[in-house]
Amino acid sequence: MPAEPNVHQRRPSTQGLAFKRLFFALSVSDSQRRAIAQWRRSLSLRSGKPVPAQNFHVTLMFLGDVAVDQVPAICAAVDQLKRPSAPPRLLLDSLQVWQRASVLVLEPQQPPAVLLQLAYGLQQALLPLGVQMATREYRPHLTLARDFRGQPPEAVTAPEFFLGARHFTLYESRKGQYWPLAQWPLTD
């Protein structure tokens, strides 16, 4: 059972409602964070702003600004989500630049079906709540740098990071830091 969300007022809207900037993600272990950060340093980036290693994650679904009073309903909907029979194992083995978003990312050449199903399941679980979904196709990735311009840098060693997750988390993004609000196991 997920932890009860810790609800803080973020910023009032014109109607007096408070909002949180939320997303679902797979966390990255400390040892994986260190390995990815060390590999990123070997790229000698000349563009972009590196994402702090403590913020490394693989987004499942970005919710954006959500009214604080909707967070318990979101958690309740996810409580009912059918979990995968086995946790996803993700290989981040491709360094790419997403030009429109101006980000340097690690992504899988072959996204695991179980991860795609989980992201789709989250979208379907939250549809009845009227949560606005991204209209673009889900592409699992880990952001290495923001405000990145140009082509992917040459890597001395090819990326090959295996991420195994046992849970997924609802995070709040607050002033450049990510705060876990609730967590769910990845298997039933």
Side-chain angles (χ1 to χ4, degrees):
M1 173 152 257
E4 187 64 28
N6 184 7
V7 179
H8 297 284
Q9 298 248 328
R10 183 164 179 257
R11 64 183 157 109
S13 74
T14 55
Q15 295 89 12
L17 294 175
F19 287 85
K20 289 180 174 285
R21 191 163 181 81
L22 304 178
F23 64 95
F24 287 98
L26 302 177
S27 60
V28 177
S29 74
D30 288 339
S31 62
Q32 291 167 329
R33 282 187 179 102
R34 284 189 299 274
I36 293 168
Q38 181 177 359
W39 181 83
R40 178 180 61 187
R41 279 191 297 279
S42 76
L43 297 175
S44 300
L45 298 180
R46 292 187 171 86
S47 175
K49 179 181 174 190
V51 170
Q54 69 265 20
N55 285 353
F56 287 166
H57 65 275
V58 175
T59 302
L60 291 167
M61 183 179 171
F62 180 73
L63 302 174
D65 288 337
V66 174
V68 168
D69 64 357
Q70 200 173 12
V71 174
I74 289 170
C75 291
V78 175
D79 285 345
Q80 304 306 311
L81 182 68
K82 182 178 177 352
R83 306 297 194 294
S85 57
R89 187 161 161 80
L90 180 65
L91 172 60
L92 297 174
D93 59 350
S94 178
L95 181 63
Q96 298 292 324
V97 174
W98 291 3
Q99 299 294 342
R100 284 184 97 186
S102 300
V103 292
L104 179 67
V105 301
L106 280 173
E107 62 182 359
Q109 291 184 39
Q110 296 289 321
V114 68
L115 185 62
L116 300 176
Q117 291 165 351
L118 177 61
Y120 178 75
L122 281 169
Q123 291 175 3
Q124 295 304 303
L126 299 182
L127 273 177
L129 301 177
V131 175
Q132 296 295 318
M133 308 298 163
T135 55
R136 60 191 175 275
E137 180 182 340
Y138 172 66
R139 290 175 62 187
H141 66 282
L142 184 145
T143 303
L144 294 171
R146 299 188 187 290
D147 301 324
F148 191 89
R149 305 278 185 246
Q151 297 302 311
E154 289 291 323
V156 175
T157 58
E160 189 175 68
F161 298 100
F162 286 94
L163 304 182
R166 300 205 178 283
H167 62 269
F168 65 98
T169 304
L170 175 63
Y171 287 97
E172 177 185 2
S173 176
R174 198 180 330 146
K175 296 183 180 181
Q177 294 189 347
Y178 302 147
W179 301 89
L181 300 181
Q183 183 175 292
W184 293 265
L186 272 169
T187 55
D188 281 330

